Amino acid sequence: DAGVTQSPTHLIKTRGQHVTLRCSPISGHKSVSWYQQVLGQGPQFIFQYYEKEERGRGNFPDRFSARQFPNYSSELNVNALLLGDSALYLCASSDDLNTEAFFGQGTRLTVV
Amino acid sequence: QKEVEQNSGPLSVPEGAIASLNCTYSDRGSQSFFWYRQYSGKSPELIMSIYSNGDKEDGRFTAQLNKASQYVSLLIRDSQPSDSATYLCAVRKIRSGNTGKLIFGQGTTLQVKP
């Protein structure tokens, strides 16, 4: 049974560009959350989607946006990239809002 | 005060010993508690979840929750070099209509020495 899959695994972008990260949750899971993890810190919450509706947004600028599709996969978009956006972006999948969350392998974004 | 606090370590234990990892949280409304293991350069892997006061055991791992004192701990028995990783404590609180976001501590680095 496939776990959470994220693509791409690594990405290098230039300041000012935009990026789209993708996530496919575990089959049957309806909730997808996005987290940003910078080196030496724990993951920070960006968004949660459940049944295609946004259910939570963390303290990130409007340059960050996301959506969830009818098949429960999700995209995270970041516009006008800054050097400080360089981080590991994690997608977590859960079958409900308050159940265990399982992470994908992450996308390592480097902004130069 | 951070919402979830962990000692960053490193915590160094000899192989075969018990490793004790601690985490405190500030919001008494927290309802669910999780321990994740993260190897260097990898994503977090869920190893334990605990929802009520007391101990929960799974193999060599025991999670302990004390809501009155607002702390969660993870014990690893018979520590192995392969347990060397960063252990992340995560807390979730659910309010009506709100998200089930996880709030993470900064993690404790565990080193198990052969």
Side-chain angles (χ1 to χ4, degrees):
Chain A
D1 194 14
V4 183
T5 57
Q6 291 185 244
S7 63
T9 55
H10 294 83
L11 201 52
I12 300 175
K13 289 287 191 178
T14 304
R15 278 178 298 175
Q17 288 188 314
H18 71 272
V19 67
T20 298
L21 310 181
R22 295 178 174 83
C23 172
S24 292
I26 294 169
S27 178
H29 284 193
K30 299 178 181 178
S31 178
V32 170
S33 299
W34 288 95
Y35 292 81
Q36 180 197 65
Q37 187 179 26
V38 298
L39 198 62
Q41 299 296 317
Q44 295 293 313
F45 174 76
I46 310 176
F47 286 108
Q48 183 176 35
Y49 279 79
Y50 178 73
E51 286 280 20
K52 302 179 288 292
E53 291 187 3
E54 182 183 303
R55 298 302 295 269
R57 173 185 288 251
N59 188 25
F60 281 81
D62 291 344
R63 299 184 295 106
F64 289 75
S65 64
R67 55 180 175 168
Q68 186 177 33
F69 298 99
N71 66 353
Y72 302 109
S73 67
S74 177
E75 283 183 353
L76 175 70
N77 294 282
V78 187
N79 293 324
L81 285 166
L82 303 174
L83 295 180
D85 294 331
S86 296
L88 179 66
Y89 288 85
L90 297 162
C91 172
S93 161
S94 56
D95 61 1
D96 206 331
L97 282 176
N98 196 28
T99 50
E100 295 174 337
F102 300 91
F103 285 92
Q105 79 274 32
T107 295
R108 175 75 60 186
L109 172 65
T110 303
V111 182
V112 297
Chain B
Q1 181 186 11
K2 294 182 180 178
E3 290 192 73
V4 179
E5 296 208 51
Q6 297 180 255
N7 188 322
S8 61
L11 172 65
S12 183
V13 300
E15 184 176 356
I18 297 174
S20 178
L21 304 161
N22 300 311
C23 169
T24 59
Y25 60 95
S26 60
D27 191 331
R28 288 190 174 275
S30 301
Q31 299 175 318
S32 309
F33 307 85
F34 306 90
W35 283 99
Y36 287 83
R37 176 175 63 196
Q38 186 172 28
Y39 293 111
S40 180
K42 302 295 185 182
S43 64
E45 174 192 9
L46 179 66
I47 53 174
M48 291 287 287
S49 59
I50 187 165
Y51 302 95
S52 55
N53 279 329
D55 295 359
K56 179 181 178 182
E57 186 174 320
D58 184 0
R60 295 185 299 111
F61 299 100
T62 298
Q64 299 174 318
L65 174 60
N66 184 323
K67 290 186 176 180
S69 299
Q70 295 175 250
Y71 84 78
V72 192
S73 62
L74 179 70
L75 301 178
I76 306 175
R77 290 180 298 281
D78 189 23
S79 295
Q80 301 297 309
S82 59
D83 295 326
S84 298
T86 296
Y87 288 81
L88 296 162
C89 172
V91 170
R92 172 183 276 153
K93 47 190 177 184
I94 293 285
R95 299 190 189 94
S96 176
N98 207 332
T99 179
K101 71 177 183 180
L102 292 171
I103 303 169
F104 284 86
Q106 69 178 69
T108 298
T109 299
L110 173 65
Q111 297 175 346
V112 181
K113 299 195 172 182

